[in-house]
Amino acid sequence: MRAAMVTRFDGPIEIRDVPVPELRPGQVLVRVEASGLCHTDIHAARGDWPVKPALPFTPGHEGIGVIEQVGPGITGRAVGERVAVPWLGYACGICDYCVSGRETLCESQLNTGYSLNGCHADYVAAYAGHVVPVPEAVSSFDAAPLTCAGVTTYKAVKVSGLRPAERAAIFGIGGLGHLAQQYAQIFGAETVAVDVTGEKLLLAGELGATHVVNAAAEDPVAAIRHLGGADVAVVLAADPRVLQQAHASLRRGGRLVLVSLPRDNAMSLPIFETVLGGISVIGSIVGTRADLAEVFRLHAAGRTTVKYEIRKLDEINQCVEDVLAGRIPARLVFEL
């Protein structure tokens, strides 16, 4: 089969012919139809984060495909079933986090495209208990970005405690942000889309943003405070300056939700303003299997729109450059 392989952190991703993976106990073999390119794939391929993947490996954790083989003793999954293969590739199921519905905090977890070979390949071996069925009404290409960009931002909006008629500012309108904005609107919020790219702000407007703020042309803090401040700010841009702007844009009692992972792993937090203003700072990692099922149901019901371009796997290095250069308004999905 073909697979995109990272063989070194300072070089291009290679397309190689490799054996179809053999199944470990508890796994199914999925023939991949569509695989979304996430910024995390780029961080993984470049070894940007403190814990680096073991080389060589295949990235990709937005995989959608059909089960072609089921390992022995597996129940609940079947050959021919179309499933999503998400970032949470495995969790132990017995720790305090797993049994309390917080499986994404499991300390024994394995992550698709990072500690497990991922979906930028013709086939992927995935743990049967952690794939998620895709409704018939959701296309594979729509489902791919929802498998990470969708469920990550859905979870961020959920943990923010956003209430109807509150104001939510989304910092960074792109693959994640255009979905975060829609989930905030589903929750009944007034939305403020913040970005530095006119094309992305145009997309935000088309998707129903109440306000758009071009941070390259005006001070987003002043603009949001002029509206009365944000009750919730969801940060999807990895620039530490944006983290500070999001915090400063909040009303008293506001909630800052951190999703992006800046490479330098630091932000400046003003303590007096945080304490006296009753500001909450919330870290939000990807959603659970239950969250992803909800994301799929919302999309099947016509509540969300996914913007993406379809590319070939052979174009992966050019795709990485396009993402880093900001030439992609939302998401890229590989057709396998």
Side-chain angles (χ1 to χ4, degrees), residues 23-29 67 69-79 81 126-131:
L23 298 184
R24 301 176 186 176
Q27 289 187 325
V28 295
L29 184 67
I67 295 175
Q69 182 181 342
V70 175
I74 291 174
T75 59
R77 298 276 77 87
V79 170
E81 188 175 15
Y127 283 94
H130 291 272
V131 299

Side-chain angles (χ1 to χ4, degrees), residues 4-9 14 16 18 53-59 113-118:
M5 300 291 295
V6 178
T7 59
R8 65 183 199 272
F9 295 125
E14 301 176 19
R16 290 189 172 186
V18 299
L55 297 172
F57 72 97
T58 296
Y114 213 89
S115 48
L116 297 170
N117 277 326

Side-chain angles (χ1 to χ4, degrees), residues 35-123:
S35 184
L37 177 64
C38 178
H39 211 118
T40 295
D41 297 333
I42 301 173
H43 289 303
R46 299 191 171 197
D48 285 341
W49 291 342
V51 179
K52 305 182 191 309
L55 297 172
F57 72 97
T58 296
H61 55 272
E62 292 184 342
I64 308 297
V66 176
I67 295 175
E68 288 201 355
Q69 182 181 342
V70 175
I74 291 174
T75 59
R77 298 276 77 87
V79 170
E81 188 175 15
R82 190 165 57 111
V83 295
V85 183
W87 170 254
L88 186 67
Y90 169 85
C92 74
I94 58 174
C95 69
D96 289 346
Y97 299 114
C98 284
V99 299
S100 61
R102 297 176 292 164
E103 61 191 26
T104 56
L105 301 181
C106 176
E107 294 182 281
S108 300
Q109 69 181 269
L110 300 174
N111 300 116
T112 307
Y114 213 89
S115 48
L116 297 170
N117 277 326
C119 304
H120 296 335
D122 290 325
Y123 288 90

Side-chain angles (χ1 to χ4, degrees), residues 158-175:
K158 285 180 76 172
V159 301
S160 76
L162 185 64
R163 296 183 292 272
E166 286 193 317
R167 184 177 298 115
I170 311 299
F171 284 79
I173 302 298

Side-chain angles (χ1 to χ4, degrees), residues 152-311:
T152 297
T153 53
Y154 179 65
K155 183 62 172 289
V157 172
K158 285 180 76 172
V159 301
S160 76
L162 185 64
R163 296 183 292 272
E166 286 193 317
R167 184 177 298 115
I170 311 299
F171 284 79
I173 302 298
L176 278 77
H178 86 288
L179 289 163
Q181 173 194 322
Q182 294 177 73
Y183 295 129
Q185 289 163 184
I186 289 171
F187 277 58
E190 173 187 336
T191 52
V192 185
V194 184
D195 206 283
V196 295
T197 306
E199 186 178 7
K200 293 180 180 180
L201 292 172
L202 181 61
L203 172 60
E206 292 172 352
L207 293 173
T210 317
H211 313 278
V212 296
V213 176
N214 188 331
E218 61 179 319
D219 177 6
V221 176
I224 294 171
R225 284 195 168 275
H226 179 73
L227 297 171
D231 298 287
V232 167
V234 179
V235 185
L236 304 167
D239 185 340
R241 179 181 54 181
V242 177
L243 299 173
Q244 297 170 19
Q245 292 172 338
H247 184 285
S249 74
L250 289 168
R251 303 177 62 206
R252 289 191 164 217
R255 288 89 75 195
L256 176 67
V257 184
L258 306 180
V259 178
S260 60
L261 296 171
R263 186 173 181 176
D264 59 5
N265 191 28
M267 70 171 287
S268 176
L269 185 69
I271 303 301
F272 273 85
E273 289 83 349
T274 300
V275 173
L276 298 180
I279 302 300
S280 300
V281 180
I282 304 166
S284 182
I285 189 64
V286 295
T288 64
R289 289 167 288 179
D291 292 321
L292 181 53
E294 290 173 12
V295 163
F296 285 154
R297 288 200 296 271
L298 284 170
H299 194 70
R303 303 292 301 278
T304 53
T305 298
V306 187
K307 296 292 185 180
Y308 55 86
E309 295 178 15
I310 298 174
R311 299 284 183 90

